[in-house]
Amino acid sequence: MVVVGGRMTGSAVAASLATRGVAVTVVDAPDPLGDATAASYGWINSHKKHPESYHVLNSAGLEHFHGVLAGVPGVFRATGHVEIAGTDEHVASFEQRSRRLQGLGYGVDEHEPADLARLVPGLAVRARLVRGFPREGIAAPDRLVAHFTATAVAAGARTVGARVDRVHRDGVVLTDGTTIAADAVVVCAGVATGAVTATAGLEVPTVAAETGNVVMGYMATTAPTPAAVDRIVTTDGLNLRPEPGGGMRLQALGLDGDCDPDRAPFDVPAHVTDAFSERLAEVLPAAAGTPLQVRIGRRVIPGDGFPAVGPVDDDARIWTLVTHSGVTLGPWLAERLAEEMLGAPPDPRLAGYSPRRFRASTGEAPAAPRAPGDQ
Ligand SMILES: Cc1cc2nc3c(=O)[nH]c(=O)nc-3n(C[C@H](O)[C@H](O)[C@H](O)COP(=O)(O)OP(=O)(O)OC[C@H]3O[C@@H](n4cnc5c(N)ncnc54)[C@H](O)[C@@H]3O)c2cc1C
C-alpha cells in the first residue's frame, strides 16, 4: 500500500499498517508551507469537542497516549492542564464548558483561585475561575513522527522523498513520472489532501488558507528559561506549555486574526512577535525578555471541520485520514483505519466520519478558534 504524506497522520498510518504485516511505501514531499505538524501546539485533549461523538473520538485519542504510547520514551508527558479565567466572557464560557466536561465524565479538578500560586508558581493573572484537567498532556509532534516512521521502517516500510502528482485505483504517479503500484492508497497529505484526492476525481475538501481564517495560527517557541511552566496553562490571552529542552510553546489565539498564509512559515510581522513577548512578560513576569520565535502554521481542516477517515471511492482502493487535532487523534485513528483496511468492520465510533459524506455536501466550515480552550 502507498501512504501519501509522512508527517503526523501519514507516519502513524504507515506504522499501523506495516506492523500488521502490510508492505508499505510512504511518499512524502517535505514542504514547510504545508507542514501542520511542525506548527502544532501538541496539546493532547478532548477539551472543547462538539458534538459528543467527536468528544468520544478525542477522548479515545487521549487515552491512547496514556495507554499504548505511554511506553514510548519522550513522546508524551501527562502534565495536566490548568485553565484560569479572569474576564467576564471567559468565566461565563468556561463555567459552561467545565460543567459539560464533568457531565461527560472527563476529569475536572475544581480549584480555588488562591490555589493558583501553588499550582503554577509565578503566574500573574487575574484568577476568578480555576479548573484543572489532570488527564491532559503534551506530545512532541516531531518525536512522534520519528517514532512512527522508525516503527514502520523496522517493520519493512519504504520511505520515498518525492511529490505525488496523482493517485488512482492502482497506485500513484510521482511528479517525475515514476509510478508506484499499490493495492490501496491512503492520502494523508494534510492541507493538500483535497488536491491530491481530486486527481482521482474524488472529493475530500479541506478549508483553503486565508488571512485570519480557521486554518491560520501563530505558534511561538521560547528559548529555555528556568521560569517555564511545568504543565499546560490557559489564561485569558495566552496559552503556555512546556517544551522538551526547557523552553515553552505559546499560543495567543487573539493575535491570529491577521495571520497571513503568504508569509508562512517565518515571515512574522514584528508587532506579532512583540505582542507575544509582552503577553509573556505580563502573564509570567519571571520569563520576561526570554527570546522567542514565532511561526505561522496552517491547520488541516476538512470541509465541515470534522475528521474524514476511511475509504473514499466505491471500491475501497483510495483511502484517507485527514483531520484537525491530528496529534491527539492521528495515532488512534491510524490504528482504526489499518484494522478496517485489513478487513475488520469499521469502528462504530467512526460512524459519521466517513470521507464519503462529502459527496452529499461540503458542510459548513467551522468558525476560527479565538477563545480560550479552542484549538
Ligand atoms: C497552529 C496549530 C496548532 C495546533 N495545535 C494542536 C494541538 O494542540 N493538538 C492537536 O492534537 N493538534 C493540533 N494541531 C493540529 C495538528 O497539528 C494537525 O492536525 C496534524 O499535525 C496534521 O498532520 P498531517 O500529517 O495530517 O498533516 P501535515 O503535518 O501537514 O503533513 C502532511 C504531509 O503531506 C505532504 N504532502 C502534501 N502533498 C503531498 C504530495 N502531493 N506528495 C507527497 N507528499 C505530500 C506534506 O508536504 C506534509 O509533509 C495544530 C495545528 C496548528 C497548525
Side-chain angles (χ1 to χ4, degrees), residues 3-11 27-45 49 58 65 137 141 145 160-167 174-175 187-193 195-196 214-219 241 251 253 256 295-301 321-330 374-375:
V3 179
V4 183
R7 298 291 286 154
M8 191 62 253
T9 59
S11 65
V27 186
D28 184 69
D31 175 7
L33 300 183
D35 187 345
T37 303
S40 186
Y41 192 53
W43 170 26
I44 305 304
N45 74 97
K49 309 294 184 185
N58 283 273
F65 275 89
V145 172
V160 176
R163 178 160 294 280
V164 168
D165 181 60
R166 55 190 189 278
V167 297
L174 307 184
T175 46
V187 182
C188 299
V191 291
T193 297
V196 173
V214 59
V215 171
M216 302 309 303
Y218 292 117
M219 177 69 50
R241 59 87 146 176
Q251 274 193 316
L253 299 172
D256 287 347
R295 171 178 191 127
I296 294 171
R298 296 183 190 202
R299 297 182 181 85
V300 180
I301 309 285
L321 195 177
V322 58
T323 186
H324 180 48
S325 298
V327 184
T328 302
L329 286 168
D374 285 346
Q375 187 47 260

Side-chain angles (χ1 to χ4, degrees), residues 176-263:
D176 68 1
T178 307
T179 62
I180 303 177
D183 293 335
V185 176
V186 192
V187 182
C188 299
V191 291
T193 297
V196 173
T197 51
T199 63
L202 300 166
E203 193 174 6
V204 182
T206 46
V207 179
E210 285 172 22
T211 298
N213 78 348
V214 59
V215 171
M216 302 309 303
Y218 292 117
M219 177 69 50
T221 308
T222 77
T225 163
V229 293
D230 68 353
R231 65 198 67 195
I232 304 153
V233 177
T234 300
T235 73
D236 293 335
L238 188 70
N239 306 336
L240 314 87
R241 59 87 146 176
E243 178 74 346
M248 291 179 281
R249 280 194 192 193
L250 312 175
Q251 274 193 316
L253 299 172
L255 299 178
D256 287 347
D258 70 353
C259 192
D260 178 351
D262 292 336
R263 302 181 72 140

